[in-house]
Amino acid sequence: MHFELLHQDKNSQARAGKLVTDHGEIETPIFMPVGTVGSVKGIHQHEIENEIKAQIILGNTYHLFLRPGTEVLEAAGGLHKFMNYNRPILTDSGGYQVYSMSGSRKITEEGVKFQSHVDGSYHFFTPERAIDIQRSIGADIIMAFDECTPYPCDYQYAKRSMKMTHRWLDRCFTQMNNTEPKYGYEQALFPIVQGSVYTDLRQESAKYIADTDSLGNAIGGLSVGEPAEELYAMTEVVTAILPKEKPRYLMGVGTPINLLECIALGIDMFDCVMPTRNARHGMLFTSEGIINIKNKKWEKDFSPIDPNGTSSVDTFYTKAYLRHLVRTKESLGLQIASIHNLAFYLALMKEARTRIIDGTFTEWKNKMVVKLGQRL
């Protein structure tokens, strides 16, 4: 696995690159649709590739560990074969899910004891266990086990948590070195920068992560409720330190505007449930702004969902029809909206890459962030 930095924007930190894995190449900047339990919710694998044009998707270690479990995944030959998807996959380590279950987990130096949201059973994740589970899942890129701090977060807690995340990272690397991939292709471990919204902690963590000389690096603990200004400020602090020749992954971000602003700060990879989660509530992202398809103004609008859209659903169905499907909670409506939103996110990344390469990124980005935030 390797990363090639192909072009650097002259007026910002935006970059265009290529990440090569054993399951194919990924052109950056890139957005990764979230396939939590081995499925991008409501979307077929052929639609992921042909309609949405995703180049890599994300799976969730915590959820896949609970169901279907590593025994089934190993018997299938790993997640790729289980879901019949032959492009790159990234798995998170489960740290974020543990963070989000604050009422039913206990964190110690050894690891995290948590209660399953499925059946109430208790489980214990350690850095070593997180690596072992991700070996069984078989993703191309796997994440270090970390603690994601909440927002707001006390400085001393953020500092203690960051130090522990660094110690857990050392244990993750040891376990990676003591184990082999199970399915005959390479897996790359990305460490995660933490430090909440404290500049000195983010700088310290970024230096620690940079010194591991990993194949790629991630920024975690953001997009957890902090203002956008804090998200951008911390991202800028960290990208100034992380090595330029390695891909940078900003976890859990974000809106289309967030993506463009963070590309300008030097981020290469993103994931977020927003395009699919918001689609299920009738919110559509378009190049002209945001549509709430449930609004009455679309009731008799028989124009295409998005004449500028890149997927077939955008011109095949009308706004009025999609409004009807969403309002009646027909599953087809959720599928159409999800395909539209994800295809829009991927098209936005492709356009950003083109603009970086041709030298017009900053001018284009500044115009787009105004349009993208408009309510239609």
mmCIF file of all heavy atoms in Angstrom, residues 129-176:
data_model
loop_
_atom_site.group_PDB
_atom_site.id
_atom_site.type_symbol
_atom_site.label_atom_id
_atom_site.label_comp_id
_atom_site.label_asym_id
_atom_site.label_seq_id
_atom_site.Cartn_x
_atom_site.Cartn_y
_atom_site.Cartn_z
ATOM 1 N N ARG A 129 -7.386 -6.737 21.070
ATOM 2 C CA ARG A 129 -8.617 -7.366 20.576
ATOM 3 C C ARG A 129 -9.144 -6.603 19.359
ATOM 4 O O ARG A 129 -9.637 -7.206 18.401
ATOM 5 C CB ARG A 129 -9.664 -7.343 21.707
ATOM 6 C CG ARG A 129 -10.926 -8.159 21.404
ATOM 7 C CD ARG A 129 -10.879 -9.495 22.108
ATOM 8 N NE ARG A 129 -11.983 -10.360 21.694
ATOM 9 C CZ ARG A 129 -13.176 -10.399 22.287
ATOM 10 N NH1 ARG A 129 -13.433 -9.599 23.313
ATOM 11 N NH2 ARG A 129 -14.106 -11.234 21.871
ATOM 12 N N ALA A 130 -9.062 -5.283 19.395
ATOM 13 C CA ALA A 130 -9.526 -4.478 18.258
ATOM 14 C C ALA A 130 -8.746 -4.824 16.988
ATOM 15 O O ALA A 130 -9.325 -4.916 15.893
ATOM 16 C CB ALA A 130 -9.404 -2.983 18.572
ATOM 17 N N ILE A 131 -7.434 -5.036 17.131
ATOM 18 C CA ILE A 131 -6.617 -5.430 15.976
ATOM 19 C C ILE A 131 -7.000 -6.831 15.506
ATOM 20 O O ILE A 131 -7.173 -7.073 14.299
ATOM 21 C CB ILE A 131 -5.113 -5.361 16.316
ATOM 22 C CG1 ILE A 131 -4.693 -3.916 16.609
ATOM 23 C CG2 ILE A 131 -4.265 -5.960 15.189
ATOM 24 C CD1 ILE A 131 -4.877 -2.945 15.472
ATOM 25 N N ASP A 132 -7.169 -7.758 16.450
ATOM 26 C CA ASP A 132 -7.521 -9.136 16.079
ATOM 27 C C ASP A 132 -8.853 -9.189 15.333
ATOM 28 O O ASP A 132 -8.994 -9.917 14.342
ATOM 29 C CB ASP A 132 -7.593 -10.025 17.329
ATOM 30 C CG ASP A 132 -6.218 -10.289 17.941
ATOM 31 O OD1 ASP A 132 -5.208 -10.038 17.250
ATOM 32 O OD2 ASP A 132 -6.162 -10.739 19.105
ATOM 33 N N ILE A 133 -9.822 -8.434 15.828
ATOM 34 C CA ILE A 133 -11.145 -8.418 15.173
ATOM 35 C C ILE A 133 -11.017 -7.837 13.768
ATOM 36 O O ILE A 133 -11.594 -8.359 12.802
ATOM 37 C CB ILE A 133 -12.168 -7.612 16.012
ATOM 38 C CG1 ILE A 133 -12.434 -8.310 17.344
ATOM 39 C CG2 ILE A 133 -13.476 -7.430 15.242
ATOM 40 C CD1 ILE A 133 -13.147 -7.426 18.369
ATOM 41 N N GLN A 134 -10.212 -6.783 13.631
ATOM 42 C CA GLN A 134 -10.039 -6.165 12.312
ATOM 43 C C GLN A 134 -9.236 -7.057 11.366
ATOM 44 O O GLN A 134 -9.421 -6.999 10.141
ATOM 45 C CB GLN A 134 -9.412 -4.777 12.449
ATOM 46 C CG GLN A 134 -10.375 -3.765 13.085
ATOM 47 C CD GLN A 134 -9.812 -2.361 13.131
ATOM 48 O OE1 GLN A 134 -10.019 -1.562 12.222
ATOM 49 N NE2 GLN A 134 -9.090 -2.053 14.197
ATOM 50 N N ARG A 135 -8.369 -7.886 11.902
ATOM 51 C CA ARG A 135 -7.707 -8.909 11.085
ATOM 52 C C ARG A 135 -8.758 -9.886 10.540
ATOM 53 O O ARG A 135 -8.713 -10.284 9.380
ATOM 54 C CB ARG A 135 -6.674 -9.681 11.913
ATOM 55 C CG ARG A 135 -5.379 -8.933 12.238
ATOM 56 C CD ARG A 135 -4.517 -8.744 11.025
ATOM 57 N NE ARG A 135 -3.120 -8.485 11.339
ATOM 58 C CZ ARG A 135 -2.279 -7.880 10.501
ATOM 59 N NH1 ARG A 135 -2.703 -7.448 9.326
ATOM 60 N NH2 ARG A 135 -1.009 -7.693 10.826
ATOM 61 N N SER A 136 -9.716 -10.258 11.380
ATOM 62 C CA SER A 136 -10.766 -11.192 10.966
ATOM 63 C C SER A 136 -11.710 -10.564 9.946
ATOM 64 O O SER A 136 -12.177 -11.239 9.025
ATOM 65 C CB SER A 136 -11.574 -11.668 12.183
ATOM 66 O OG SER A 136 -10.757 -12.409 13.069
ATOM 67 N N ILE A 137 -12.005 -9.274 10.114
ATOM 68 C CA ILE A 137 -12.863 -8.576 9.149
ATOM 69 C C ILE A 137 -12.131 -8.451 7.811
ATOM 70 O O ILE A 137 -12.727 -8.651 6.753
ATOM 71 C CB ILE A 137 -13.273 -7.185 9.684
ATOM 72 C CG1 ILE A 137 -14.138 -7.332 10.942
ATOM 73 C CG2 ILE A 137 -14.021 -6.384 8.612
ATOM 74 C CD1 ILE A 137 -14.373 -6.017 11.692
ATOM 75 N N GLY A 138 -10.861 -8.077 7.864
ATOM 76 C CA GLY A 138 -10.036 -8.073 6.663
ATOM 77 C C GLY A 138 -10.062 -6.814 5.830
ATOM 78 O O GLY A 138 -9.813 -6.862 4.618
ATOM 79 N N ALA A 139 -10.361 -5.665 6.439
ATOM 80 C CA ALA A 139 -10.360 -4.405 5.673
ATOM 81 C C ALA A 139 -8.944 -4.044 5.234
ATOM 82 O O ALA A 139 -7.956 -4.460 5.847
ATOM 83 C CB ALA A 139 -10.945 -3.279 6.515
ATOM 84 N N ASP A 140 -8.853 -3.255 4.170
ATOM 85 C CA ASP A 140 -7.549 -2.831 3.649
ATOM 86 C C ASP A 140 -6.878 -1.831 4.580
ATOM 87 O O ASP A 140 -5.653 -1.845 4.750
ATOM 88 C CB ASP A 140 -7.731 -2.184 2.271
ATOM 89 C CG ASP A 140 -8.390 -3.138 1.296
ATOM 90 O OD1 ASP A 140 -7.668 -3.895 0.634
ATOM 91 O OD2 ASP A 140 -9.641 -3.140 1.221
ATOM 92 N N ILE A 141 -7.691 -0.932 5.168
ATOM 93 C CA ILE A 141 -7.181 0.062 6.119
ATOM 94 C C ILE A 141 -7.901 -0.167 7.438
ATOM 95 O O ILE A 141 -9.137 -0.248 7.469
ATOM 96 C CB ILE A 141 -7.426 1.494 5.623
ATOM 97 C CG1 ILE A 141 -6.706 1.725 4.283
ATOM 98 C CG2 ILE A 141 -6.952 2.521 6.658
ATOM 99 C CD1 ILE A 141 -7.081 3.044 3.603
ATOM 100 N N ILE A 142 -7.146 -0.315 8.508
ATOM 101 C CA ILE A 142 -7.746 -0.531 9.823
ATOM 102 C C ILE A 142 -7.253 0.544 10.780
ATOM 103 O O ILE A 142 -6.171 1.106 10.607
ATOM 104 C CB ILE A 142 -7.464 -1.955 10.362
ATOM 105 C CG1 ILE A 142 -5.989 -2.152 10.714
ATOM 106 C CG2 ILE A 142 -7.893 -3.009 9.347
ATOM 107 C CD1 ILE A 142 -5.671 -3.535 11.271
ATOM 108 N N MET A 143 -8.095 0.840 11.767
ATOM 109 C CA MET A 143 -7.817 1.969 12.643
ATOM 110 C C MET A 143 -7.344 1.505 14.018
ATOM 111 O O MET A 143 -7.773 0.464 14.523
ATOM 112 C CB MET A 143 -9.069 2.834 12.815
ATOM 113 C CG MET A 143 -9.652 3.346 11.506
ATOM 114 S SD MET A 143 -8.489 4.222 10.452
ATOM 115 C CE MET A 143 -8.049 5.572 11.531
ATOM 116 N N ALA A 144 -6.475 2.307 14.626
ATOM 117 C CA ALA A 144 -6.013 2.050 15.985
ATOM 118 C C ALA A 144 -7.165 2.247 16.972
ATOM 119 O O ALA A 144 -8.069 3.054 16.727
ATOM 120 C CB ALA A 144 -4.860 2.985 16.329
ATOM 121 N N PHE A 145 -7.138 1.513 18.071
ATOM 122 C CA PHE A 145 -8.155 1.646 19.112
ATOM 123 C C PHE A 145 -7.845 2.894 19.928
ATOM 124 O O PHE A 145 -6.736 3.060 20.441
ATOM 125 C CB PHE A 145 -8.151 0.405 20.002
ATOM 126 C CG PHE A 145 -9.340 0.309 20.923
ATOM 127 C CD1 PHE A 145 -10.626 0.326 20.425
ATOM 128 C CD2 PHE A 145 -9.165 0.192 22.293
ATOM 129 C CE1 PHE A 145 -11.734 0.232 21.268
ATOM 130 C CE2 PHE A 145 -10.262 0.094 23.151
ATOM 131 C CZ PHE A 145 -11.543 0.114 22.627
ATOM 132 N N ASP A 146 -8.804 3.796 20.033
ATOM 133 C CA ASP A 146 -8.581 5.073 20.711
ATOM 134 C C ASP A 146 -9.774 5.401 21.585
ATOM 135 O O ASP A 146 -10.816 4.756 21.500
ATOM 136 C CB ASP A 146 -8.376 6.193 19.678
ATOM 137 C CG ASP A 146 -9.624 6.426 18.822
ATOM 138 O OD1 ASP A 146 -10.371 5.453 18.598
ATOM 139 O OD2 ASP A 146 -9.848 7.567 18.370
ATOM 140 N N GLU A 147 -9.614 6.418 22.424
ATOM 141 C CA GLU A 147 -10.759 6.968 23.135
ATOM 142 C C GLU A 147 -11.112 8.299 22.494
ATOM 143 O O GLU A 147 -10.268 9.192 22.386
ATOM 144 C CB GLU A 147 -10.489 7.182 24.626
ATOM 145 C CG GLU A 147 -11.762 7.631 25.345
ATOM 146 C CD GLU A 147 -11.545 8.182 26.748
ATOM 147 O OE1 GLU A 147 -10.412 8.165 27.252
ATOM 148 O OE2 GLU A 147 -12.540 8.649 27.344
ATOM 149 N N CYS A 148 -12.350 8.410 22.063
ATOM 150 C CA CYS A 148 -12.859 9.658 21.491
ATOM 151 C C CYS A 148 -13.465 10.471 22.628
ATOM 152 O O CYS A 148 -14.440 10.039 23.242
ATOM 153 C CB CYS A 148 -13.906 9.337 20.427
ATOM 154 S SG CYS A 148 -14.693 10.790 19.716
ATOM 155 N N THR A 149 -12.868 11.617 22.927
ATOM 156 C CA THR A 149 -13.376 12.436 24.036
ATOM 157 C C THR A 149 -14.610 13.222 23.601
ATOM 158 O O THR A 149 -14.737 13.596 22.435
ATOM 159 C CB THR A 149 -12.295 13.423 24.524
ATOM 160 O OG1 THR A 149 -11.736 14.092 23.386
ATOM 161 C CG2 THR A 149 -11.190 12.699 25.271
ATOM 162 N N PRO A 150 -15.508 13.494 24.542
ATOM 163 C CA PRO A 150 -16.727 14.244 24.204
ATOM 164 C C PRO A 150 -16.431 15.738 24.080
ATOM 165 O O PRO A 150 -15.316 16.192 24.353
ATOM 166 C CB PRO A 150 -17.639 13.969 25.403
ATOM 167 C CG PRO A 150 -16.697 13.762 26.546
ATOM 168 C CD PRO A 150 -15.484 13.080 25.962
ATOM 169 N N TYR A 151 -17.427 16.489 23.636
ATOM 170 C CA TYR A 151 -17.354 17.957 23.646
ATOM 171 C C TYR A 151 -18.570 18.482 24.392
ATOM 172 O O TYR A 151 -19.687 18.044 24.126
ATOM 173 C CB TYR A 151 -17.332 18.516 22.219
ATOM 174 C CG TYR A 151 -17.301 20.032 22.192
ATOM 175 C CD1 TYR A 151 -16.087 20.710 22.271
ATOM 176 C CD2 TYR A 151 -18.475 20.775 22.144
ATOM 177 C CE1 TYR A 151 -16.055 22.101 22.283
ATOM 178 C CE2 TYR A 151 -18.449 22.159 22.156
ATOM 179 C CZ TYR A 151 -17.236 22.814 22.228
ATOM 180 O OH TYR A 151 -17.198 24.186 22.243
ATOM 181 N N PRO A 152 -18.395 19.406 25.339
ATOM 182 C CA PRO A 152 -17.092 19.919 25.804
ATOM 183 C C PRO A 152 -16.370 18.895 26.679
ATOM 184 O O PRO A 152 -16.986 17.987 27.211
ATOM 185 C CB PRO A 152 -17.495 21.165 26.608
ATOM 186 C CG PRO A 152 -18.883 20.873 27.079
ATOM 187 C CD PRO A 152 -19.539 20.044 26.018
ATOM 188 N N CYS A 153 -15.055 19.115 26.824
ATOM 189 C CA CYS A 153 -14.233 18.170 27.569
ATOM 190 C C CYS A 153 -13.214 18.938 28.415
ATOM 191 O O CYS A 153 -12.533 19.835 27.910
ATOM 192 C CB CYS A 153 -13.508 17.246 26.594
ATOM 193 S SG CYS A 153 -12.462 16.021 27.387
ATOM 194 N N ASP A 154 -13.132 18.582 29.676
ATOM 195 C CA ASP A 154 -12.171 19.185 30.586
ATOM 196 C C ASP A 154 -10.740 18.955 30.086
ATOM 197 O O ASP A 154 -10.402 17.869 29.593
ATOM 198 C CB ASP A 154 -12.375 18.538 31.976
ATOM 199 C CG ASP A 154 -11.279 18.902 32.944
ATOM 200 O OD1 ASP A 154 -11.269 20.043 33.406
ATOM 201 O OD2 ASP A 154 -10.427 18.026 33.219
ATOM 202 N N TYR A 155 -9.878 19.978 30.224
ATOM 203 C CA TYR A 155 -8.506 19.890 29.705
ATOM 204 C C TYR A 155 -7.746 18.698 30.285
ATOM 205 O O TYR A 155 -7.094 17.955 29.545
ATOM 206 C CB TYR A 155 -7.744 21.188 30.009
ATOM 207 C CG TYR A 155 -6.301 21.162 29.528
ATOM 208 C CD1 TYR A 155 -5.988 21.505 28.220
ATOM 209 C CD2 TYR A 155 -5.265 20.784 30.382
ATOM 210 C CE1 TYR A 155 -4.667 21.472 27.764
ATOM 211 C CE2 TYR A 155 -3.951 20.743 29.941
ATOM 212 C CZ TYR A 155 -3.653 21.093 28.632
ATOM 213 O OH TYR A 155 -2.353 21.047 28.190
ATOM 214 N N GLN A 156 -7.821 18.527 31.609
ATOM 215 C CA GLN A 156 -7.060 17.436 32.241
ATOM 216 C C GLN A 156 -7.550 16.073 31.763
ATOM 217 O O GLN A 156 -6.745 15.165 31.527
ATOM 218 C CB GLN A 156 -7.136 17.538 33.776
ATOM 219 C CG GLN A 156 -6.374 18.715 34.361
ATOM 220 C CD GLN A 156 -4.900 18.730 33.962
ATOM 221 O OE1 GLN A 156 -4.259 17.679 33.805
ATOM 222 N NE2 GLN A 156 -4.349 19.931 33.789
ATOM 223 N N TYR A 157 -8.873 15.935 31.594
ATOM 224 C CA TYR A 157 -9.404 14.664 31.090
ATOM 225 C C TYR A 157 -8.920 14.429 29.656
ATOM 226 O O TYR A 157 -8.494 13.320 29.298
ATOM 227 C CB TYR A 157 -10.939 14.650 31.132
ATOM 228 C CG TYR A 157 -11.511 13.309 30.702
ATOM 229 C CD1 TYR A 157 -11.781 12.323 31.638
ATOM 230 C CD2 TYR A 157 -11.737 13.013 29.354
ATOM 231 C CE1 TYR A 157 -12.266 11.078 31.253
ATOM 232 C CE2 TYR A 157 -12.222 11.774 28.955
ATOM 233 C CZ TYR A 157 -12.489 10.812 29.914
ATOM 234 O OH TYR A 157 -12.945 9.581 29.527
ATOM 235 N N ALA A 158 -8.974 15.478 28.839
ATOM 236 C CA ALA A 158 -8.530 15.358 27.446
ATOM 237 C C ALA A 158 -7.065 14.948 27.375
ATOM 238 O O ALA A 158 -6.672 14.120 26.545
ATOM 239 C CB ALA A 158 -8.749 16.684 26.710
ATOM 240 N N LYS A 159 -6.254 15.499 28.280
ATOM 241 C CA LYS A 159 -4.821 15.179 28.295
ATOM 242 C C LYS A 159 -4.585 13.726 28.709
ATOM 243 O O LYS A 159 -3.815 12.999 28.067
ATOM 244 C CB LYS A 159 -4.082 16.134 29.245
ATOM 245 C CG LYS A 159 -2.569 15.972 29.217
ATOM 246 C CD LYS A 159 -1.891 17.062 30.020
ATOM 247 C CE LYS A 159 -0.373 16.950 29.886
ATOM 248 N NZ LYS A 159 0.317 18.055 30.587
ATOM 249 N N ARG A 160 -5.256 13.303 29.784
ATOM 250 C CA ARG A 160 -5.107 11.909 30.231
ATOM 251 C C ARG A 160 -5.575 10.940 29.144
ATOM 252 O O ARG A 160 -4.936 9.931 28.874
ATOM 253 C CB ARG A 160 -5.924 11.675 31.509
ATOM 254 C CG ARG A 160 -5.317 12.257 32.773
ATOM 255 C CD ARG A 160 -5.955 11.677 34.033
ATOM 256 N NE ARG A 160 -7.418 11.814 34.042
ATOM 257 C CZ ARG A 160 -8.056 12.897 34.498
ATOM 258 N NH1 ARG A 160 -7.366 13.936 34.964
ATOM 259 N NH2 ARG A 160 -9.375 12.942 34.492
ATOM 260 N N SER A 161 -6.706 11.267 28.529
ATOM 261 C CA SER A 161 -7.264 10.415 27.486
ATOM 262 C C SER A 161 -6.313 10.309 26.292
ATOM 263 O O SER A 161 -6.087 9.221 25.747
ATOM 264 C CB SER A 161 -8.607 10.979 27.034
ATOM 265 O OG SER A 161 -9.093 10.273 25.922
ATOM 266 N N MET A 162 -5.743 11.439 25.872
ATOM 267 C CA MET A 162 -4.810 11.451 24.747
ATOM 268 C C MET A 162 -3.586 10.585 25.045
ATOM 269 O O MET A 162 -3.152 9.791 24.201
ATOM 270 C CB MET A 162 -4.365 12.889 24.462
ATOM 271 C CG MET A 162 -3.346 13.014 23.349
ATOM 272 S SD MET A 162 -2.506 14.619 23.401
ATOM 273 C CE MET A 162 -1.447 14.408 24.840
ATOM 274 N N LYS A 163 -3.038 10.725 26.261
ATOM 275 C CA LYS A 163 -1.859 9.922 26.638
ATOM 276 C C LYS A 163 -2.192 8.432 26.592
ATOM 277 O O LYS A 163 -1.380 7.610 26.145
ATOM 278 C CB LYS A 163 -1.384 10.305 28.043
ATOM 279 C CG LYS A 163 -0.934 11.748 28.192
ATOM 280 C CD LYS A 163 0.480 11.942 27.737
ATOM 281 C CE LYS A 163 1.010 13.310 28.175
ATOM 282 N NZ LYS A 163 2.335 13.582 27.593
ATOM 283 N N MET A 164 -3.403 8.084 27.061
ATOM 284 C CA MET A 164 -3.794 6.680 27.042
ATOM 285 C C MET A 164 -3.992 6.191 25.608
ATOM 286 O O MET A 164 -3.594 5.069 25.258
ATOM 287 C CB MET A 164 -5.064 6.458 27.856
ATOM 288 C CG MET A 164 -5.438 4.979 27.991
ATOM 289 S SD MET A 164 -6.799 4.715 29.135
ATOM 290 C CE MET A 164 -8.143 5.465 28.200
ATOM 291 N N THR A 165 -4.577 7.030 24.756
ATOM 292 C CA THR A 165 -4.725 6.683 23.335
ATOM 293 C C THR A 165 -3.367 6.404 22.708
ATOM 294 O O THR A 165 -3.219 5.470 21.917
ATOM 295 C CB THR A 165 -5.457 7.822 22.585
ATOM 296 O OG1 THR A 165 -6.845 7.786 22.944
ATOM 297 C CG2 THR A 165 -5.354 7.677 21.079
ATOM 298 N N HIS A 166 -2.348 7.169 23.100
ATOM 299 C CA HIS A 166 -0.987 6.939 22.587
ATOM 300 C C HIS A 166 -0.433 5.608 23.093
ATOM 301 O O HIS A 166 0.207 4.874 22.324
ATOM 302 C CB HIS A 166 -0.048 8.082 22.996
ATOM 303 C CG HIS A 166 -0.401 9.392 22.373
ATOM 304 N ND1 HIS A 166 0.167 10.584 22.789
ATOM 305 C CD2 HIS A 166 -1.262 9.714 21.374
ATOM 306 C CE1 HIS A 166 -0.327 11.573 22.057
ATOM 307 N NE2 HIS A 166 -1.200 11.075 21.207
ATOM 308 N N ARG A 167 -0.679 5.285 24.357
ATOM 309 C CA ARG A 167 -0.212 3.991 24.893
ATOM 310 C C ARG A 167 -0.959 2.839 24.224
ATOM 311 O O ARG A 167 -0.358 1.808 23.896
ATOM 312 C CB ARG A 167 -0.388 3.941 26.420
ATOM 313 C CG ARG A 167 0.513 4.918 27.177
ATOM 314 C CD ARG A 167 0.508 4.658 28.678
ATOM 315 N NE ARG A 167 -0.787 4.881 29.299
ATOM 316 C CZ ARG A 167 -1.218 6.061 29.758
ATOM 317 N NH1 ARG A 167 -0.452 7.147 29.636
ATOM 318 N NH2 ARG A 167 -2.406 6.176 30.343
ATOM 319 N N TRP A 168 -2.249 3.047 24.010
ATOM 320 C CA TRP A 168 -3.022 2.021 23.301
ATOM 321 C C TRP A 168 -2.506 1.839 21.866
ATOM 322 O O TRP A 168 -2.474 0.726 21.346
ATOM 323 C CB TRP A 168 -4.503 2.413 23.265
ATOM 324 C CG TRP A 168 -5.240 2.183 24.549
ATOM 325 C CD1 TRP A 168 -4.738 1.678 25.713
ATOM 326 C CD2 TRP A 168 -6.633 2.441 24.795
ATOM 327 N NE1 TRP A 168 -5.726 1.616 26.674
ATOM 328 C CE2 TRP A 168 -6.902 2.067 26.129
ATOM 329 C CE3 TRP A 168 -7.668 2.949 24.015
ATOM 330 C CZ2 TRP A 168 -8.162 2.193 26.703
ATOM 331 C CZ3 TRP A 168 -8.925 3.075 24.577
ATOM 332 C CH2 TRP A 168 -9.177 2.699 25.907
ATOM 333 N N LEU A 169 -2.082 2.944 21.245
ATOM 334 C CA LEU A 169 -1.541 2.871 19.887
ATOM 335 C C LEU A 169 -0.294 1.994 19.847
ATOM 336 O O LEU A 169 -0.133 1.155 18.948
ATOM 337 C CB LEU A 169 -1.214 4.279 19.373
ATOM 338 C CG LEU A 169 -0.511 4.350 18.016
ATOM 339 C CD1 LEU A 169 -1.369 3.734 16.920
ATOM 340 C CD2 LEU A 169 -0.161 5.802 17.676
ATOM 341 N N ASP A 170 0.591 2.164 20.816
ATOM 342 C CA ASP A 170 1.799 1.336 20.879
ATOM 343 C C ASP A 170 1.426 -0.144 20.955
ATOM 344 O O ASP A 170 2.055 -0.998 20.309
ATOM 345 C CB ASP A 170 2.650 1.723 22.088
ATOM 346 C CG ASP A 170 3.192 3.144 21.991
ATOM 347 O OD1 ASP A 170 3.214 3.696 20.873
ATOM 348 O OD2 ASP A 170 3.577 3.708 23.038
ATOM 349 N N ARG A 171 0.382 -0.448 21.731
ATOM 350 C CA ARG A 171 -0.079 -1.835 21.851
ATOM 351 C C ARG A 171 -0.687 -2.333 20.537
ATOM 352 O O ARG A 171 -0.518 -3.501 20.165
ATOM 353 C CB ARG A 171 -1.072 -1.965 23.005
ATOM 354 C CG ARG A 171 -0.421 -1.814 24.380
ATOM 355 C CD ARG A 171 -1.435 -1.573 25.491
ATOM 356 N NE ARG A 171 -2.423 -2.638 25.607
ATOM 357 C CZ ARG A 171 -3.489 -2.579 26.407
ATOM 358 N NH1 ARG A 171 -3.700 -1.504 27.164
ATOM 359 N NH2 ARG A 171 -4.324 -3.593 26.465
ATOM 360 N N CYS A 172 -1.381 -1.447 19.824
ATOM 361 C CA CYS A 172 -1.936 -1.816 18.514
ATOM 362 C C CYS A 172 -0.821 -2.190 17.538
ATOM 363 O O CYS A 172 -0.920 -3.198 16.820
ATOM 364 C CB CYS A 172 -2.752 -0.661 17.931
ATOM 365 S SG CYS A 172 -4.370 -0.407 18.695
ATOM 366 N N PHE A 173 0.239 -1.377 17.508
ATOM 367 C CA PHE A 173 1.349 -1.664 16.601
ATOM 368 C C PHE A 173 2.037 -2.984 16.961
ATOM 369 O O PHE A 173 2.399 -3.765 16.077
ATOM 370 C CB PHE A 173 2.362 -0.513 16.599
ATOM 371 C CG PHE A 173 1.999 0.595 15.659
ATOM 372 C CD1 PHE A 173 1.722 1.870 16.129
ATOM 373 C CD2 PHE A 173 1.925 0.377 14.296
ATOM 374 C CE1 PHE A 173 1.383 2.892 15.260
ATOM 375 C CE2 PHE A 173 1.574 1.388 13.415
ATOM 376 C CZ PHE A 173 1.307 2.650 13.900
ATOM 377 N N THR A 174 2.204 -3.230 18.255
ATOM 378 C CA THR A 174 2.810 -4.493 18.691
ATOM 379 C C THR A 174 1.967 -5.676 18.208
ATOM 380 O O THR A 174 2.495 -6.661 17.683
ATOM 381 C CB THR A 174 2.944 -4.528 20.222
ATOM 382 O OG1 THR A 174 3.786 -3.447 20.632
ATOM 383 C CG2 THR A 174 3.547 -5.840 20.699
ATOM 384 N N GLN A 175 0.640 -5.556 18.387
ATOM 385 C CA GLN A 175 -0.247 -6.648 17.962
ATOM 386 C C GLN A 175 -0.239 -6.814 16.442
ATOM 387 O O GLN A 175 -0.281 -7.953 15.944
ATOM 388 C CB GLN A 175 -1.671 -6.385 18.467
ATOM 389 C CG GLN A 175 -2.616 -7.561 18.296
ATOM 390 C CD GLN A 175 -2.273 -8.740 19.191
ATOM 391 O OE1 GLN A 175 -1.342 -8.678 19.992
ATOM 392 N NE2 GLN A 175 -3.023 -9.822 19.039
ATOM 393 N N MET A 176 -0.171 -5.717 15.709
ATOM 394 C CA MET A 176 -0.064 -5.797 14.242
ATOM 395 C C MET A 176 1.198 -6.551 13.839
ATOM 396 O O MET A 176 1.181 -7.413 12.955
ATOM 397 C CB MET A 176 -0.024 -4.391 13.628
ATOM 398 C CG MET A 176 -1.354 -3.742 13.419
ATOM 399 S SD MET A 176 -2.395 -4.508 12.152
ATOM 400 C CE MET A 176 -1.689 -3.861 10.643
#
